[in-house]
């Protein structure tokens, strides 16, 4: 006699129904490293080299963040990932009135090249890959990184890393935009063009599903909206006259990893197959231009302030899904991040989680270890089919930019977020320690806090930089940037020159605000 099942219907977080058992299906005879890359973008994957183990870090001043970077590097981090504070993200110097109360809170404050020099003091940029989570001001922060590399005597052809530089998801899900969509897309394609010639190993965009998921989307929506945005960037670059077989090699993606292990693995596998199809249809013939390479971060929105130690197994499951799904780099969240910035202990545990998966679990010993699973192969197909439905709707609207302008992506994400929270309240979705298995607990004693007094430290640094630089030369360069912005030339050379002469981030952003205006949302 068959026992009564726990629920009438089992579904993934995207609403895909899960059958009781999966029987044999026709599985394509695909190999890793071959089109359409469902099984991975490299033939040997982690048997040759582990994924890059990054830890997202940045807080307070450049001096304090530099100490954390050295701590992480000494503990085995193999790549850096920089978090910037809110004023830096939206183009305001720490001295601006709008920056009051936000300096150094969500990340590190970077006001000029002087801060970038301090941030990477003692770190050779040729020897490390750096990911920078920055969008509206990505051109300025990238210019600072390039300027610092030049000061270090580095070969720019060897510098590698990633800027997020994904403005479309800012309009759809996150909100740290400055300029309207058209000039923003121009800046992005200027970066594509400049880096393809000057910094050829740099990943010029990390097309982000992470923040779409953090805003409340499902896994299917995260996949569909991210690839639709990627398609828009491809078309914008092609319209600019760039060769897809050149610039598409430097595009990367940034995905979220949530708790539904198998759906997440299926999402990552489907993403590669779909992107290979999209790039091929748009003219990519070089396999490296068809490959979807991605960074993963464990789900910040899944972390709970209640019973925060529960976040350690959550992060472990999420990290494992990314590895089983074939990620190229990974950041694991600290267990205390629902409460505050991670302490050194929490950051170390998060890094050790990756190292245990890599060195002890066996998950990295074979390529695409879940391939051939009836369940995972079926789920990969179903996630892909559901994502194509969304992409076809977006294409019918005229693409991602038009869909965002019409509010379609935003409304779909909001509806999913509402359903998710409603399911938790009705206990149809169980969150351990939140709506089931609750317990009285003492608050964490060791929490990381940022002192508001650091704003004055940053203002003092800005004043010192302005007193020591050649202000007449800076003003002339900013005037040239304004002229370039009013024209059609690539903006990166003028931005780089301004940065090298210690123009501040806010001064450069304000020039472009003057020319392009601000997006009201």
């Amino acid at each position: 006699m068959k026992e009564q099942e726990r629920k009438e219907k089992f579904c993934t977080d995207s609403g895909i129904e899960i059958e009781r058992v999966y029987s044999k299906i026709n599985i394509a005879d695909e190999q890793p490293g071959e089109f359409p890359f469902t099984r991975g973008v490299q033939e040997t994957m982690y048997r040759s080299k582990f994924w890059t183990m990054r830890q997202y870090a940045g807080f307070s001043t450049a001096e304090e963040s530099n100490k954390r970077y050295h701590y992480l590097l000494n503990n085995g981090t193999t790549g850096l990932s920089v978090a910037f504070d809110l004023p830096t993200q939206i183009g305001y110097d720490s001295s601006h009135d709008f920056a009051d109360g936000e300096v150094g809170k969500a990340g590190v404050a970077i006001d000029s090249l002087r801060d970038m020099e301090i941030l990477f003091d003692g770190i050779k940029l040729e020897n490390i890959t750096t990911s920078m989570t920055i969008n509206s001001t990505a051109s300025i922060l990238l210019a600072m990184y390039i300027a610092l590399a030049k000061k270090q005597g580095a070969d720019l052809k060897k510098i590698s890393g990633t800027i997020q530089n994904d403005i479309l998801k800012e309009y759809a899900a996150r909100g740290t935009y400055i300029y309207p969509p058209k000039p923003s897309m121009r800046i992005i394609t200027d970066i594509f063009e400049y880096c393809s010639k000057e910094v050829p190993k740099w990943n010029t965009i990390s097309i982000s599903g992470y923040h779409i998921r953090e805003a409340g989307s499902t896994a299917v929506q995260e996949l569909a909206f991210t690839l639709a945005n990627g398609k828009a960037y491809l078309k914008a670059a092609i319209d600019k006259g760039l060769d897809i077989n050149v610039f598409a090699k430097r595009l990367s993606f940034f995905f979220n990893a949530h708790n539904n292990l198998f759906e997440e693995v299926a999402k990552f596998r489907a993403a590669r197959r779909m992107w290979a199809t999209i790039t091929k249809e748009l003219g990519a013939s070089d396999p490296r231009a068809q490959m979807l390479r991605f960074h993963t971060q464990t789900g910040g929105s899944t972390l709970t302030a209640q019973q925060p130690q529960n976040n350690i197994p959550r992060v472990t499951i999420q990290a494992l899904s990314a590895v089983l799904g074939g990620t190229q780099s990974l950041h694991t969240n600290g267990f205390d991040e629902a409460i505050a910035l991670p302490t050194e202990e929490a950051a170390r545990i998060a890094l050790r989680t990756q190292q245990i998966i890599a060195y002890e679990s066996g998950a990295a010993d074979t390529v695409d270890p879940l391939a051939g699973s009836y369940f995972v192969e079926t789920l990969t197909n179903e996630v892909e089919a559901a994502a194509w439905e969304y992409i076809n709707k977006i294409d019918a609207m005229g693409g991602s930019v038009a869909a965002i302008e019409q509010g379609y992506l935003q409304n779909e994400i909001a509806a999913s977020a509402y359903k998710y929270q409603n399911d938790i309240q009705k206990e149809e979705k169980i969150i351990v320690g939140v709506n089931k298995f609750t317990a009285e607990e003492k608050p964490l004693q060791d929490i990381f806090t940022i002192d508001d007094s650091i704003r004055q430290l940053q203002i003092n640094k800005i004043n010192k930089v302005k007193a020591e630089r050649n202000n007449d030369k800076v003003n002339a360069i900013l005037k040239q940037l304004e002229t370039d912005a009013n024209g059609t030339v690539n903006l990166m050379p003028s931005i780089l020159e301004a940065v090298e002469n210690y123009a501040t981030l806010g001064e450069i952003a304000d020039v472009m605000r003057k020319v392009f205006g601000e997006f009201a949302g």
Side-chain angles (χ1 to χ4, degrees), residues 132-299:
M132 296 191 283
T133 303
I134 197 71
N135 297 282
S136 296
T137 54
S139 59
I140 305 170
L141 273 300
L142 174 60
M144 289 182 185
Y145 196 87
I146 293 170
L148 176 58
K150 288 170 69 176
K151 290 191 75 170
Q152 288 186 355
D155 180 353
L156 295 186
K157 306 294 184 188
K158 296 180 180 177
I159 295 297
S160 63
T162 305
I163 44 171
Q164 192 161 101
N165 198 28
D166 176 8
I167 202 64
L168 292 180
K169 68 93 176 50
E170 295 296 326
Y171 301 123
R174 191 161 175 261
T176 64
Y177 46 73
I178 303 174
Y179 320 111
K182 286 185 179 178
S184 293
M185 293 293 277
R186 173 195 170 181
I187 295 168
I188 288 168
T189 53
D190 279 356
I191 292 170
F192 289 176
E193 182 181 50
Y194 179 85
C195 288
S196 68
K197 298 171 184 175
E198 304 296 333
V199 199
K201 290 183 71 177
W202 193 267
N203 296 319
T204 50
I205 192 169
S206 178
I207 304 160
S208 176
Y210 184 85
H211 301 98
I212 290 170
R213 192 69 176 277
E214 290 294 285
S217 81
T218 65
V220 165
Q221 289 171 335
E222 177 194 358
L223 174 58
F225 298 165
T226 304
L227 296 190
N229 287 348
K231 195 173 180 181
Y233 293 125
L234 289 177
K235 289 183 174 181
I238 291 167
D239 290 345
K240 193 179 177 71
L242 303 183
D243 183 351
I244 191 171
N245 282 311
V246 176
F247 76 83
K249 293 176 184 176
R250 301 323 309 171
L251 307 186
S252 65
F253 288 79
F254 176 23
F255 286 116
N256 210 312
H258 272 223
N259 293 327
N260 194 312
L261 178 73
F262 296 107
E263 183 175 42
E264 295 302 301
V265 174
K267 178 188 74 180
F268 298 133
R269 298 177 85 246
R272 281 190 292 271
R273 192 156 69 200
M274 294 174 73
W275 186 245
T277 301
I278 289 168
T279 51
K280 188 174 183 179
E281 287 177 351
L282 289 174
S285 54
D286 188 325
R288 289 177 58 213
Q290 299 167 340
M291 292 177 180
L292 182 145
R293 297 165 297 112
F294 67 99
H295 169 71
T296 309
Q297 181 173 341
T298 57

Side-chain angles (χ1 to χ4, degrees), residues 56-59 69 82-89 104-110 116 119-120 131-135 137 141 174 505:
Y56 186 49
F59 55 87
Y69 294 161
V82 185
F84 298 97
D85 73 357
L86 194 56
T88 303
Q89 292 181 50
K105 292 290 179 70
V108 62
I110 300 293
M116 191 67 84
L119 186 67
F120 290 100
S131 173
M132 296 191 283
T133 303
I134 197 71
N135 297 282
T137 54
L141 273 300
R174 191 161 175 261
L505 174 133

Side-chain angles (χ1 to χ4, degrees), residues 313-453:
R314 286 189 183 104
V315 167
T316 303
I317 292 167
Q318 294 164 10
L320 183 60
S321 79
V323 171
L324 294 173
T327 193
Q328 276 60 66
S329 72
L330 177 60
H331 162 78
T332 33
N333 291 325
F335 71 86
D336 54 359
E337 287 190 63
I339 300 165
L341 290 169
T343 60
E344 284 192 352
E345 180 193 20
R348 186 177 65 251
I349 291 170
L351 177 59
R352 294 289 184 258
T353 300
Q354 293 198 50
Q355 292 164 337
I356 289 168
I357 291 172
Y359 292 97
E360 299 184 29
S361 74
D365 293 348
T366 189
V367 181
D368 194 19
L370 295 184
S373 156
Y374 301 150
F375 178 35
V376 171
E377 295 289 356
T378 301
L379 197 52
T380 300
N381 295 339
E382 291 177 336
V383 166
E384 179 182 5
W388 279 126
E389 283 188 29
Y390 273 114
I391 290 175
N392 292 336
K393 286 180 187 176
I394 291 166
D395 284 347
M397 294 178 189
S400 271
V401 175
I404 288 166
E405 289 174 342
Q406 294 172 42
Y408 173 71
L409 269 63
Q410 300 93 311
N411 290 338
E412 289 294 308
I413 294 167
S416 292
Y418 176 79
K419 181 182 183 305
Y420 184 81
Q421 290 302 321
N422 202 35
D423 287 348
I424 291 172
Q425 288 180 351
K426 293 191 293 185
E427 294 191 9
E428 291 177 7
K429 176 77 177 173
I430 299 301
I431 307 297
V432 174
V434 175
N435 62 354
K436 198 173 181 65
F437 312 114
T438 57
E440 288 188 20
E441 53 190 312
K442 295 179 181 178
L444 282 180
Q445 298 301 307
D446 186 17
I447 21 179
F448 197 88
T449 56
I450 301 296
D451 194 327
D452 282 329
S453 66

Side-chain angles (χ1 to χ4, degrees), residues 443-501:
L444 282 180
Q445 298 301 307
D446 186 17
I447 21 179
F448 197 88
T449 56
I450 301 296
D451 194 327
D452 282 329
S453 66
I454 67 154
R455 181 174 183 237
Q456 189 57 52
L457 296 176
Q458 287 300 115
I459 291 172
N460 293 343
K461 277 198 280 186
I462 292 169
N463 291 339
K464 190 171 188 290
V465 162
K466 289 182 176 180
E468 292 175 350
R469 71 188 186 183
N470 184 332
N471 284 293
D472 289 339
K473 188 173 184 180
V474 169
N475 290 334
I477 295 166
L478 292 175
K479 189 68 179 173
Q480 183 60 51
L481 175 59
E482 183 179 346
T483 300
D484 291 349
N486 275 304
T488 58
V489 301
N490 193 303
L491 296 178
M492 280 302 295
S494 291
I495 293 172
L496 179 59
E497 187 179 8
V499 159
E500 289 180 317
N501 284 276

